[in-house]
């Protein structure tokens, strides 16, 4: 019996929680650059308003040992974490060391070798990196040395006056204040942890802009330590503060605001402490280093990153290596609670810094958070997947099913691709089928124009850089940022297909989106006319003029580049089947028809006003119409509402009831609609219009002349017109020319499409018959 009691006592002791806390001053010498604001341009600090600290907590439940460290820095850069892991006492596994920055913008820089990051953090000073790392490890050793029998508890509270969304008035915010209390066997506090999502950017832009300060987290720690016990070590763990700011209590500003926010948080935390009951704890720490989504910013970002979770009984803490927007944290919390956790804290700025993370709906916003998010619009889904894999409760998200491979085959002069499934699966299959070609097109259409300087804005700093400096790896990500506002309004089905196309091709999302927008960027001021391709010619016949078909649409697409021509038949999981004719890379539609007979074509107008980057490219609008619209009038109304579009004409046609309908929507300074009234011929450009250039007058004059020769212009006659190479006409003045890449006749009533590609001698090849309904 005595032996049993001894063994039982030893087992209790082995499972008892031990904890200790320590702190070390990490304030560097005055003159060290600060980190956090680009407007400082790496200038030196001028003073110390309040000291910077490393605060560490040691926890050991008999099975799991760990250090949790909070540091008064804007971020934990890779060099700092690596040096801390080298110097850290050999007391816990290295993967059980968690280092979190409070995100004060008045902490030291000077600790990174990365030239781009040094534009904000200032010159690299090895001694600052070393002294900061030593200070952090000293706080860890002190925490271990002070360990003693402990108990732990946690609680949460609501707040509505401390933080707010800094981008949208009344926008989403995290109103949770998370609190962890660690006390010794006598009930004396060892450490208090607070978790709140709010940017520590309360310090003014006067002389204090260059003074060291822990910002409001420093005032919180000082105040809560005074409210509890002098020996207590407080830690502030920032939350998903990407788009969260803090308030100005009582309208205060400057240091008074900073202090007021810190004190208000401390008082709220103290209220929570009064309701926490501490006890034994089971600790679980999980970590992984998954690959990140592909990015254009390869010089700024790693290809994989360290992520961690810490479970204290049924509390889950998720440590994110950067600045997540609050929407990500709120959804992660919902998923954790659904998995059986009683509470969840998101901690940002942990262990690394890979910039901002925005949820998909915010990726197209023209703001700082979206611009500093480099891993594509599905980064939020990446977090949900990776962190649910680290949770010990419930079941992780299953891997997405593999997309079915595309069914492809050759047709006369081109390739026929059959795709089916949801938009993402369709995109993946297409991307895999044309992976090599897509990568080549991206290199030719985007990367090369940037690397050669063809797309440098005239008179910009980029154009004036010495030849031995290659800014390409910075300019390409910047172009990716510039293209994101064009995503605003892109239908979700198109969005998802582009995501799949990028994944299937093994390219970053931003790369694929830039490729979709190459023509738009080419038309912008300060860009070469490299991609300003007219995409001509198009015309329709209706009523008696179309014969038994009632409605026919003809189209030649001219393109300056030699591309692999592709006819794509899409059977989406939801919506209409449709067929489009284009190239390997274009997820949008230049030329297409759906199974309801709705037909669309687009033509660009040389010399027209430049597009406005305030909405989706017209090709994406047309793709969405084909999948989701069966009514001609509905489609026409949607097109007439695209006020952001400039410099293109769209031909839209369909059978409304039993009547043929066709119109051309002209996007110039205003939106103008030209229609066929009951019957007749409608051309993509009116050759009599003052806005038509000489080439358009020539080829469309020829179309009208040839259609006037026949009372009925059937599909065979349209094919003859599309192949016309009028003597004496060259280039875009001719209906069919050396740049024509496909010729198509649509018969909406029967759902048939006749498509031909250039033959070996350059003349139009034989027509293939394809039914969109089969």
């Amino acid at each position: 019996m005595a032996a049993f009691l001894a063994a039982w006592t030893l087992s209790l002791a082995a499972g008892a929680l031990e904890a200790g806390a320590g702190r070390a001053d990490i304030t560097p010498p005055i003159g060290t650059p600060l980190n956090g604001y680009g407007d400082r341009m790496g200038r030196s600090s001028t003073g110390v308003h309040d000291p910077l600290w490393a605060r560490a907590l040691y926890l050991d439940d008999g099975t799991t040992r760990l250090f949790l460290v909070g540091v008064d820095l804007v971020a934990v850069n890779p060099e700092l974490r690596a040096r801390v892991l080298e110097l850290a006492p050999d007391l816990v596994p290295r993967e059980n060391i968690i280092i979190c920055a409070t995100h004060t913008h008045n902490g030291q820089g000077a600790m990174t070798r990365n030239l781009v990051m040094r534009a904000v953090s200032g010159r690299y000073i090895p001694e600052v990196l070393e002294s900061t790392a030593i200070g952090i490890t000293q706080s860890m050793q002190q925490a271990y040395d002070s360990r003693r029998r402990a108990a732990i508890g946690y609680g949460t509270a609501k707040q509505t006056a401390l933080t707010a969304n800094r981008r949208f008035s009344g926008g989403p915010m995290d109103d949770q204040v998370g609190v962890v209390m660690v006390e010794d066997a006598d009930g004396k506090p060892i450490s208090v942890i607070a978790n709140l999502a709010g940017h520590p950017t309360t310090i003014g832009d006067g002389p204090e802009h260059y003074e060291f300060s822990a910002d409001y987290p420093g005032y919180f720690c000082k105040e809560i330590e005074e409210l509890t016990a002098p020996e207590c070590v407080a830690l502030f763990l920032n939350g998903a503060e990407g788009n969260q700011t803090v308030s100005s209590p009582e309208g205060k500003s400057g240091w008074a605001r900073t202090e007021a926010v810190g004190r208000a948080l401390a008082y709220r935390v103290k209220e929570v402490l009064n309701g926490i009951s501490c006890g034994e704890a089971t600790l679980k720490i999980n970590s992984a280093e998954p690959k990140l989504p592909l990015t254009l910013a390869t010089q700024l970002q790693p290809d994989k990153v360290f992520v961690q979770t810490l479970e204290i009984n049924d509390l889950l803490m998720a440590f994110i290596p950067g600045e997540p927007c609050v929407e990500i944290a709120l959804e992660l919390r919902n998923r954790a609670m659904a998995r059986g956790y009683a509470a969840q804290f998101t901690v940002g700025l942990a262990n690394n810094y890979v910039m901002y993370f925005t949820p998909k709906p915010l990726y197209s916003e023209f703001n700082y958070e979206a611009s500093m998010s480099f891993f594509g619009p599905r980064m939020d889904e990446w977090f949900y997947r990776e962190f649910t894999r680290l949770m010990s409760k419930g079941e992780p998200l299953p891997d997405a099913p593999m997309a079915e491979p595309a069914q492809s085959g050759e047709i006369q002069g081109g390739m026929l691709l059959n795709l089916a499934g949801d938009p993402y699966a369709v995109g993946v299959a297409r991307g895999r089928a044309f992976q090599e070609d897509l990568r080549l097109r991206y290199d030719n259409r985007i990367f090369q124009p940037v690397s050669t300087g063809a797309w440098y804005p005239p008179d910009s700093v980029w154009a004036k850089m010495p030849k031995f400096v290659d800014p390409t790896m910075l300019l390409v990500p910047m172009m990716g940022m510039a293209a994101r506002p064009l995503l605003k309004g892109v239908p979700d089905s198109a969005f998802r297909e582009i995501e799949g196309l990028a994944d299937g091709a093994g390219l970053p999302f931003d790369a694929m989106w830039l490729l979709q927008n190459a023509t738009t960027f080419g038309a912008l001021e300060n860009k070469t006319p490299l991609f300003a391709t007219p995409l001509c010619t198009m015309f329709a016949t209706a009523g008696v003029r179309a014969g038994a078909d009632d409605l026919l649409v003809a189209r030649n697409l001219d393109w300056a580049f030699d591309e692999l021509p592709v006819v794509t038949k899409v059977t989406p999981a939801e919506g209409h089947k449709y067929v489009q004719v284009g190239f390997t890379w274009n997820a949008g539609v230049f030329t297409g028809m759906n199974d309801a007979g709705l037909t669309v074509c687009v033509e660009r107008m040389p010399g027209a006003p430049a597009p406005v980057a305030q909405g989706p490219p017209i090709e994406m609008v047309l793709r969405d119409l084909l999948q989701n619209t069966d009514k001609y009038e509905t489609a026409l109304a949607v097109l007439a509402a695209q006020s952001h579009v400039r410099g293109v004409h769209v031909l839209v046609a369909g059978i409304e009831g039993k009547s043929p309908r066709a119109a051309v929507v002209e996007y110039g300074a205003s939106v103008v609609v030209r229609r066929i009234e009951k019957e007749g011929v409608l051309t993509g450009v009116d050759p009599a219009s003052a806005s038509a250039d000489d080439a358009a007058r020539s080829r469309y004059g020829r179309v009208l002349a040839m259609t006037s020769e026949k009372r009925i212009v059937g599909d065979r006659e349209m094919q003859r017109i599309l192949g016309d190479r009028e003597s004496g006409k060259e280039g875009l003045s001719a209906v069919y020319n050396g740049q024509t890449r496909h010729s198509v006749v649509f018969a909406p009533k029967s759902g048939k499409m006749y498509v031909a590609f250039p033959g070996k001698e350059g003349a139009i090849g034989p027509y293939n018959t394809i039914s969109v309904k089969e």
Side-chain angles (χ1 to χ4, degrees), residues 14 19 22 77 113 118 121 150 199 211 242 248 254 263 286 319 329 331 368 431 449 516 556 563 599 605 627 680 726:
N77 58 290
R113 297 178 179 87
R118 281 160 61 177
S121 68
H199 255 85
E211 294 179 353
S248 301
R263 288 183 183 277
N286 291 313
F319 297 91
E331 178 60 23
Y368 183 72
Q516 302 300 316
N556 273 355
E563 304 256 15
T599 305
M605 305 305 299
Q627 181 174 340
E726 185 180 6

Side-chain angles (χ1 to χ4, degrees), residues 68-115:
L68 176 60
V69 185
V71 291
D72 290 327
L73 298 171
V74 75
V76 179
N77 58 290
E79 294 95 331
L80 177 60
R81 175 172 170 79
R83 188 59 180 145
V84 169
L85 295 184
E86 289 174 354
L87 297 174
D90 191 18
L91 301 169
V92 307
R94 288 301 185 261
E95 63 271 18
N96 287 13
I97 296 175
I98 310 168
I99 311 173
C100 309
T102 63
H103 201 48
T104 174
H105 286 46
N106 280 53
Q108 64 258 42
M111 294 188 292
T112 181
R113 297 178 179 87
N114 187 293
L115 286 173

Side-chain angles (χ1 to χ4, degrees), residues 523-542:
L524 292 173
E525 189 178 357
N526 295 338
K527 297 289 189 294
T528 68
L530 185 61
F531 300 112
T533 307
L535 304 174
C536 47
T537 304
M538 57 191 193
F539 65 99
T541 59

